[in-house]
Amino acid sequence: MRKVYYIFNPDTRTYDRVYPNFAQKFLTMLRRVLLYIIFGGISFLVFYLLIDKPSVKEFENENSQLLARYKILSSRLDKALLVMRDIQQRDDNLYRVMLDAEPLSEAVRNAGYAGTNRYDDLLKMDNAGLLVETTQKVDLLEKQLYMQIRSFDEIVALDKDAKTRLRHVPAIQPISNRDLKRTASGYGYRIDPVYNVRTFHKGMDFTCDKKTPVYATADGVVESAKWQSGYGYTVVIDHGYGYKTLYAHLLDGKFLVKPKQQVVRGEQIALSGNSGKSTGPHLHYEVLVKGRNVNPINYYFMDLDADGYDEMLRMAENHGKIYD
């Protein structure tokens, strides 16, 4: 109900009604508005400060749970990186060693993202340190996984190549010599039976009768089958992967293979003889690796067990009978 105001008139001794002007009405209204604003502000502050709103509390709880989960995730990433490290060590120290492959360098395995600003946005957030650290671990694990997959792909390829390569590595004796009785002269310095001077013997000699079958000691391609000075009738086989073998003093012209012909391990390629600089029927056999002569005794691993290897080594070191 609207208030009505009166004022006492001393002349008439009566109360006359007062009608406020516009300015008075405006001031009255302004006072009321200010009172409402002040009351409302005080009420809001009291409500905000003294009453814990559910939404704020829920947000704080969620933030706390999220932080805890980040810490758990960081811990799990540490364990995952340890497992990855173990896999890397197995890769470098076992698989790659077995396949004669170089290990991957630490720089390649742990290459990061230097020169980028990929973490700048995270630095503006709360708990920036934890966020950046966790993200860096994820990036590192992702990079290492990628490099490890590439490494395993290479290992698989090397394994396939190794199986092929093994067929091209000299691995048997060039003639049948299971009992080792045909082992004659070994690799190394010897007294030449013709010139009676100390010379280096580049291969091994096997005593045998003429026309004894001579076999290729690994898969390969015949490089030559011809007469060679000193060696007589000779076959040279290129096995690839840096390996070559030479079979000398063969039977006159009785080659069973020709140049560019592919041969497999155990295939008969010629007959033994006494051609060239030779003092009696025998087979002279050489193994070359990347153009250099090596001791053939180390390339009979498919024919000899440990005891057989020791016995042949003893016989070869005792020089035996020298034929060329």
Side-chain angles (χ1 to χ4, degrees), residues 194-214:
V194 177
Y195 302 112
N196 199 32
V197 295
R198 189 170 184 264
T199 59
F200 191 84
H201 192 235
K202 296 180 180 179
M204 288 189 69
D205 289 343
F206 295 88
T207 180
C208 56
D209 297 329
K210 283 187 177 182
K211 297 184 179 181
T212 298
V214 177

Side-chain angles (χ1 to χ4, degrees), residues 141-184:
L141 183 59
E142 183 182 44
K143 178 69 174 180
Q144 291 184 350
L145 279 171
Y146 171 74
M147 294 306 302
Q148 193 58 55
I149 289 171
R150 287 190 57 184
S151 177
F152 281 151
D153 288 342
E154 182 182 352
I155 290 297
V156 170
L158 287 172
D159 181 57
K160 292 180 180 178
D161 184 65
K163 292 177 181 177
T164 302
R165 180 177 179 176
L166 186 60
R167 295 199 300 270
H168 293 261
V169 176
I172 62 173
Q173 297 178 83
I175 63 172
S176 180
N177 187 34
R178 294 287 183 181
D179 57 8
L180 305 183
K181 291 182 179 180
R182 290 180 172 179
T183 304

Side-chain angles (χ1 to χ4, degrees), residues 20-237:
N21 55 29
F22 177 78
Q24 291 173 331
K25 290 180 179 180
F26 177 77
L27 289 174
T28 300
M29 184 178 296
L30 182 60
R31 283 194 299 269
R32 290 177 179 175
V33 171
L34 289 174
L35 287 173
Y36 292 151
I37 291 175
I38 292 171
F39 179 76
I42 293 173
S43 300
F44 176 78
L45 288 175
V46 171
F47 179 80
Y48 183 81
L49 295 176
L50 300 181
I51 300 177
D52 192 7
K53 294 181 293 183
S55 58
V56 175
K57 191 172 183 179
E58 289 175 3
F59 176 76
E60 291 177 349
N61 288 337
E62 290 178 359
N63 189 51
S64 178
Q65 292 177 6
L66 184 61
L67 186 61
R69 289 177 181 176
Y70 260 107
K71 291 180 179 179
I72 293 173
L73 176 61
S74 180
S75 177
R76 292 177 67 182
L77 284 170
D78 287 335
K79 294 178 181 179
L81 287 169
L82 287 175
V83 173
M84 176 56 64
R85 183 62 181 169
D86 181 64
I87 293 173
Q88 291 171 347
Q89 290 177 347
R90 288 171 182 263
D91 185 24
D92 287 340
N93 301 325
L94 179 60
Y95 309 136
R96 288 180 167 271
V97 169
M98 291 174 62
L99 295 171
D100 195 26
E102 291 293 327
L104 294 183
S105 67
E106 290 293 322
V108 172
R109 287 192 181 278
N110 298 311
Y113 299 91
T116 65
N117 301 319
R118 60 189 294 114
Y119 307 117
D120 284 355
D121 291 340
L122 297 177
L123 293 174
K124 302 173 184 178
M125 304 175 66
D126 294 336
N127 302 303
L130 179 60
L131 293 176
V132 170
E133 180 185 2
T134 304
T135 305
Q136 286 176 332
K137 291 177 182 178
V138 172
D139 288 341
L140 179 60
L141 183 59
E142 183 182 44
K143 178 69 174 180
Q144 291 184 350
L145 279 171
Y146 171 74
M147 294 306 302
Q148 193 58 55
I149 289 171
R150 287 190 57 184
S151 177
F152 281 151
D153 288 342
E154 182 182 352
I155 290 297
V156 170
L158 287 172
D159 181 57
K160 292 180 180 178
D161 184 65
K163 292 177 181 177
T164 302
R165 180 177 179 176
L166 186 60
R167 295 199 300 270
H168 293 261
V169 176
I172 62 173
Q173 297 178 83
I175 63 172
S176 180
N177 187 34
R178 294 287 183 181
D179 57 8
L180 305 183
K181 291 182 179 180
R182 290 180 172 179
T183 304
S185 178
Y187 175 88
Y189 283 97
R190 302 285 184 268
I191 299 299
D192 188 285
V194 177
Y195 302 112
N196 199 32
V197 295
R198 189 170 184 264
T199 59
F200 191 84
H201 192 235
K202 296 180 180 179
M204 288 189 69
D205 289 343
F206 295 88
T207 180
C208 56
D209 297 329
K210 283 187 177 182
K211 297 184 179 181
T212 298
V214 177
Y215 305 104
T217 56
D219 294 7
V221 177
V222 177
E223 182 179 281
S224 63
K226 62 182 182 181
W227 173 274
Q228 292 192 36
S229 177
Y231 286 111
Y233 290 102
T234 304
V235 171
V236 176
I237 300 177

